[in-house]
């Protein structure tokens, strides 16, 4: 398997973890007012790390999964790198826009405000979008049938379980403001139709 691609993924992992830990420190400055996460939600947060960090880490440092390697043309690897950089940017930008309102769990913070600017102006879940982008890039970068699609597979249950619960929580907290916000935005893909309707 091409070494520079593996190396690139490792650097991306460090960059992604750095973004997360910096934001985690910042968000700890503000306390949670109410907690809405279930045990399944917490389990799924960790399960998703399995595909994004644990399996890739094993693949990067051991030959355990090498039997399942596939080989893509060089340009596809480069495309994967570009997609990965876009995903990292979106991860950073969504954290920056959400600021102190962010929490990895489903929580409403003290002085929680509804963010509708920055990337949140176009989509309601850019942070989860960043995970999808990362997952797509991983298929091109880690060319292995077990590790390549791992984030897409482990993130999907989290995403489909989390979204309805999170939107329900936001609706209860912000009422009409969130209903109006839904009318203007897509979940992870900007909605041209909604943009036209509300303009
Ligand atoms: N789903 C969003 C945020 C993920 S972090 C995204 O993908 O970008 C999860 C926390 O963010 C939730 O607990 C909720 O409290 C908070 N949150 C989600 N959307 C928000 C918004 N538009 N404004 C403020 N807080 C939000």
């Amino acid at each position: 398997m091409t070494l520079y691609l593996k190396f690139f993924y490792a650097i991306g992992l460090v960059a992604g973890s750095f973004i997360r830990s910096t934001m985690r420190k910042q968000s700890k400055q503000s306390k949670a007012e109410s907690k809405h996460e279930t045990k399944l939600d917490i389990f799924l947060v960790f399960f998703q790390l399995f595909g994004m960090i644990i399996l890739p880490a094993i693949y990067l440092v051991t030959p355990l999964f090498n039997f399942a390697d596939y080989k893509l043309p060089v340009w596809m690897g480069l495309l994967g790198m570009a997609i990965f950089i876009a995903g990292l940017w979106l991860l950073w930008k969504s954290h920056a826009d959400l600021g102190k309102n962010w929490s990895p769990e489903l929580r409403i913070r003290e002085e929680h405000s509804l963010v509708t600017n920055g990337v949140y102006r176009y989509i309601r879940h850019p942070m989860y979008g960043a995970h999808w982008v990362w997952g797509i890039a991983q298929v091109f970068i880690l060319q292995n049938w077990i590790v390549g699609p791992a984030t897409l597979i482990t993130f999907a249950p989290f995403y489909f379980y989390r979204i309805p619960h999170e939107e329900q929580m936001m609706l209860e907290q912000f009422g009409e403001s969130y209903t109006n916000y839904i009318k203007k935005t897509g979940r992870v893909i900007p909605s041209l139709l909604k943009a036209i309707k509300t303009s």
Side-chain angles (χ1 to χ4, degrees):
M1 183 55 256
T2 323
L3 208 61
Y4 71 88
L5 288 175
K6 280 188 171 177
F7 189 63
F8 183 82
Y9 190 88
I11 292 181
L13 253 185
V14 173
S17 309
F18 180 73
I19 295 171
R20 271 264 141 136
S21 67
T22 318
M23 297 303 169
R24 191 181 284 269
K25 267 181 222 142
Q26 194 192 74
S27 73
K28 276 199 176 140
Q29 292 167 4
S30 144
K31 281 192 189 137
E33 185 183 281
S34 60
K35 301 179 178 179
H36 301 255
E37 65 270 15
T38 60
K39 283 195 178 125
L40 180 59
D41 189 81
I42 294 169
F43 169 77
L44 292 174
V45 170
F46 283 103
F47 182 60
Q48 164 232 318
L49 298 180
F50 196 71
M52 210 171 190
I53 299 173
I54 298 173
L55 278 181
I58 295 172
Y59 182 56
L60 294 180
V61 298
T62 76
L64 207 64
F65 301 127
N66 287 2
F67 70 94
D69 277 354
Y70 54 80
K71 186 147 181 49
L72 296 174
V74 171
W75 70 267
M76 281 197 182
L78 297 178
L79 178 69
M81 287 164 81
I83 297 173
F84 201 110
I85 290 170
L88 279 176
W89 176 82
L90 190 57
L91 188 69
W92 164 76
K93 179 71 177 134
S94 50
H95 273 289
D97 288 340
L98 209 54
K100 284 182 188 161
N101 298 301
W102 177 69
S103 53
E105 306 89 358
L106 275 182
R107 291 188 182 173
I108 296 294
R109 295 194 172 275
E110 280 172 356
E111 294 171 34
H112 202 120
S113 59
L114 177 63
V115 176
T116 58
N117 60 337
V119 265
Y120 287 86
R121 193 167 154 204
Y122 308 100
I123 47 177
R124 299 195 291 287
H125 304 289
M127 215 174 279
Y128 303 155
H131 285 70
W132 285 124
V133 174
W134 179 305
I136 293 167
Q138 194 170 327
V139 174
F140 292 102
I141 295 173
L142 300 181
Q143 298 173 14
N144 181 280
W145 288 109
I146 299 164
V147 188
T151 291
L152 292 181
I153 293 168
T154 59
F155 182 67
F158 166 81
Y159 178 81
F160 290 108
Y161 180 78
R162 168 63 76 92
I163 291 278
H165 290 88
E166 182 169 324
E167 296 203 333
Q168 185 57 36
M169 176 186 84
M170 296 301 283
L171 272 171
E172 279 163 22
Q173 180 70 17
F174 295 103
E176 208 183 327
S177 311
Y178 199 72
T179 315
N180 288 334
Y181 178 52
I182 290 179
K183 282 189 193 145
K184 291 185 199 143
T185 48
R187 277 186 167 157
V188 283
I189 298 169
S191 168
L192 199 62
L193 205 70
K194 286 183 177 175
I196 294 166
K197 264 193 208 160
T198 52
S199 67

